[in-house]
């Protein structure tokens, strides 16, 4: 029951603050008038005024206390009215022990809703009002009453100012929390966008390369199916192997998308890297593109991200050469030094083989390399053909102590 009453009062305070303050001022007025009537009908206390609380006294008391109804709308004016009516009330000869609470509540409100530049000068009003009541009391209690009223005034202002600081701090915290929420939402959106771009890059590299090989081999098998069954069977075998590899990489991508934080990542196939370069080269050779590979420098394991990036760059370049260069030989040069340098060239159609300005493959390649602070240079060669040069910074440099290594010979 009490919880329901408190909840109703909170809703009322939020919906109609003035009505809440009015009810509060009426309550304070009622308590003050009751206290004044009790003191007026009780035994006389020496040193205190004994003027009965008639109509004028009741009106002044209501002015002192009902002014609290405007504590939120006009706190400074409310303090002036309350203190002025209190001074007039006590100067008229009424009991000095009445109407001392409202000025303190008014000062608390001013300190809680106005800056110290405004509230500190306003302390003078309750000081005059309450010290006036101390002077009207018994002479033997003058200094204790002055000290007591001074402490009460200081406490009221301190509590009000502390409340103001707390409200301002809460507002700042709310504002900062809102900014933090917006920043977190922005970071989440950027993370989603980056993840979508990463998935798009992976899908492009997997689908574009493998499907290019499959399409070319399927066309070859259809062309020689009747005249050269052995070549057709070889083309179909290449299609089956390429399709199986594509399915394996697609399963790996889907597994990464479904992986949870508590899952054991060891159960998933690793991302491809330069250790699978031989398989890639053999697949392109079987598709009809002669490929030569040369490796210089100190061959060493690469960070997983750079390893995958280098593999995808070579895959994209060879796939473009297969699709666009026409009858040509592709050459892949790898150099391990302070940087990993990739150079893929072909002697095909040159400018005609260049990707479009907004081609997705070159865009994806540049995005991949940019992630690792590398550089990409692509364009036709003066002597014919097309060339792509990629550099990827490595964490440590090794001397060039290993001679060039060539993988196989071009298919004739």
């Amino acid at each position: 029951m009490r919880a329901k009453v408190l909840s109703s009062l909170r809703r009322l305070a939020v919906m109609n603050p003035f009505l809440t303050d009015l009810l509060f001022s009426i309550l304070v007025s009622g308590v003050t008038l009751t206290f004044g009537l009790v003191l007026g009908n009780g035994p006389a206390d020496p040193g205190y005024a004994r003027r009965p609380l008639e109509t004028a006294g009741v009106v002044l008391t209501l002015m002192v206390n009902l002014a609290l109804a405007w504590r939120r709308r006009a706190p400074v004016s409310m303090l002036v009215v309350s203190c002025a009516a209190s001074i007039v009330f006590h100067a008229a000869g009424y009991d000095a022990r009445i109407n001392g609470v409202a000025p303190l509540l008014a000062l608390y409100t001013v300190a809680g809703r106005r800056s110290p530049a405004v509230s500190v000068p306003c302390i003078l009003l309750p000081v005059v009002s309450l010290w006036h009541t101390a002077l009207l009391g018994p002479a033997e209690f003058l200094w204790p009453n002055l000290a007591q009223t001074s402490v009460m005034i200081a406490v009221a202002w301190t509590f009000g100012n502390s409340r103001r600081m707390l409200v301002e701090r809460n507002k700042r915290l709310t504002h900062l929390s809102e900014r933090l929420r917006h920043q977190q939402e922005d970071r989440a959106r950027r993370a989603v966008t980056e993840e979508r771009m990463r998935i798009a890059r992976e899908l492009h590299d997997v689908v574009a390369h493998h499907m290019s090989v499959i399409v070319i081999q399927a066309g070859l098998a259809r062309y020689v199916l009747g005249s050269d069954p052995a070549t057709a069977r070889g083309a179909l075998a290449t299609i089956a192997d390429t399709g199986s590899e594509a399915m394996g990489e697609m399963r790996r991508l889907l597994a990464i998308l479904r992986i949870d934080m508590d899952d054991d990542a060891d159960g998933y196939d690793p991302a491809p890297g330069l250790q699978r370069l031989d398989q890639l080269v053999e697949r392109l050779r079987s598709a009809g593109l002669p490929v030569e590979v040369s490796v210089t420098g100190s061959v060493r394991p690469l960070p997983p991200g750079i390893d995958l990036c280098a593999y995808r760059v070579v895959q994209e370049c060879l796939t473009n050469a297969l699709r666009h260069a026409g009858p040509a030989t592709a050459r892949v040069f790898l150099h391990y030094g302070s940087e990993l340098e990739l150079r893929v060239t072909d002697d095909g159609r040159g400018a005609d083989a260049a990707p479009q300005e907004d081609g997705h493959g070159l865009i994806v390649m540049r995005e991949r390399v940019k992630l690792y602070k590398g550089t990409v240079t692509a364009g036709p060669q003066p002597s014919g053909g097309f060339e792509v040069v990629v550099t990827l910074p490595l964490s440590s440099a090794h001397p060039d102590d290993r001679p060039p290594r060539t993988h196989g010979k071009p298919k004739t």
Side-chain angles (χ1 to χ4, degrees):
M1 181 64 182
R2 184 177 62 181
K4 292 182 179 180
V5 173
L6 293 177
S7 177
S8 301
L9 291 177
R10 292 192 189 99
R11 286 197 299 269
L12 178 62
V14 173
M15 294 174 59
N16 198 331
F18 177 75
L19 179 59
T20 303
D21 294 337
L22 178 60
L23 295 176
F24 175 72
S25 65
I26 292 174
L27 176 63
V28 175
S29 299
V31 172
T32 302
L33 290 173
T34 302
F35 184 64
L37 293 175
V38 170
L39 290 179
N41 295 329
D45 290 332
Y48 288 99
R50 294 297 300 168
R51 181 175 176 177
L53 196 62
E54 77 278 13
T55 303
V58 171
V59 172
L60 288 173
T61 299
L62 292 177
M63 289 181 61
V64 172
N65 295 280
L66 290 180
L68 296 175
W70 284 266
R71 55 188 298 271
R72 299 175 198 259
R73 297 186 175 184
V76 176
S77 300
M78 174 267 303
L79 175 65
V80 172
V81 171
S82 180
C83 290
S86 176
I87 293 172
V88 172
F89 177 86
H90 295 126
Y94 296 104
D95 198 323
R97 292 170 293 180
I98 305 175
N99 290 326
V101 175
L104 292 175
L105 294 175
L107 177 63
Y108 167 83
T109 300
V110 172
R113 304 186 72 85
R114 294 293 183 266
S115 66
V118 175
S119 63
V120 170
C122 290
I123 294 177
L124 182 63
L125 295 174
V127 165
V128 172
S129 175
L130 295 179
W131 280 13
H132 179 236
T133 62
L135 293 173
L136 295 177
E140 62 270 21
F141 296 137
L142 174 61
W143 293 109
N145 286 340
L146 288 176
Q148 180 183 9
T149 54
S150 299
V151 170
M152 293 171 63
I153 292 172
V155 169
W157 184 88
T158 301
F159 280 15
N161 190 62
S162 299
R163 179 186 177 279
R164 178 190 61 80
M165 295 173 62
L166 180 61
V167 171
E168 291 180 353
R169 186 185 67 177
N170 290 339
K171 289 181 179 179
R172 288 195 299 269
L173 290 176
T174 301
H175 177 67
L176 291 175
S177 298
E178 189 68 16
R179 287 181 55 189
L180 179 61
R181 185 179 66 83
H182 287 305
Q183 292 175 359
Q184 289 175 340
E185 291 177 353
D186 291 339
R187 283 197 295 268
R189 283 194 293 268
R190 286 197 298 269
V192 170
T193 302
E194 291 172 359
E195 184 66 12
R196 292 177 62 184
M197 292 176 62
R198 185 184 71 83
I199 294 171
R201 287 194 297 266
E202 290 293 325
L203 289 176
H204 171 269
D205 291 337
V206 171
V207 174
H209 168 72
H210 292 87
M211 291 305 297
S212 296
V213 173
I214 289 174
V215 169
I216 292 175
Q217 291 295 305
L220 174 62
R222 183 175 61 179
Y223 182 75
V224 301
L225 182 61
S227 60
D228 192 350
T231 302
R233 283 194 296 270
L236 293 175
T238 300
I239 291 174
D241 295 339
T242 304
S244 298
E245 185 174 344
M247 289 298 296
E249 292 209 26
M250 291 295 292
R251 282 194 295 268
R252 180 183 63 82
L253 286 177
L254 294 177
I256 292 174
L257 294 178
R258 290 194 299 264
I259 190 171
D260 295 329
M261 294 300 294
D262 298 331
D263 288 346
D264 184 8
D266 295 337
Y268 298 100
D269 294 335
L274 292 179
Q275 75 278 0
R276 292 172 55 178
L277 182 59
D278 291 338
Q279 300 176 22
L280 175 65
V281 169
E282 289 301 324
R283 186 164 58 249
L284 268 299
R285 286 172 181 162
S286 66
L289 177 69
V291 181
E292 296 178 354
V293 179
S294 296
V295 180
T296 61
S298 181
V299 180
R300 58 191 184 273
L302 300 176
I306 293 180
D307 198 17
L308 174 61
C309 177
Y311 177 85
R312 293 303 191 196
V313 167
V314 176
Q315 183 185 59
E316 177 66 25
C317 293
L318 294 180
T319 302
N320 287 337
L322 176 67
R323 296 170 58 188
H324 304 295
T329 298
R331 295 175 176 83
V332 179
F333 302 93
L334 298 178
H335 176 71
Y336 290 81
S338 60
E339 298 178 329
L340 177 65
E341 181 179 350
L342 302 173
R343 186 183 301 270
V344 183
T345 64
D346 65 71
D347 53 7
R349 291 197 295 263
D352 294 336
Q356 296 297 322
E357 187 67 23
D358 57 350
H360 189 65
L362 187 57
I363 294 175
V364 169
M365 187 187 307
R366 293 186 187 279
E367 289 176 348
R368 281 188 180 277
V369 174
K370 185 178 179 181
L371 287 176
Y372 301 98
K373 303 185 185 306
T375 61
V376 177
T377 303
Q381 300 183 89
S383 59
F386 198 79
E387 180 182 57
V388 176
V389 180
V390 173
T391 58
L392 294 168
L394 301 179
S395 58
S396 60
H398 290 260
D400 298 339
D401 56 359
R402 185 168 299 185
R405 177 165 56 93
T406 302
H407 295 255
K409 297 180 180 180
K411 184 178 179 180
T412 58

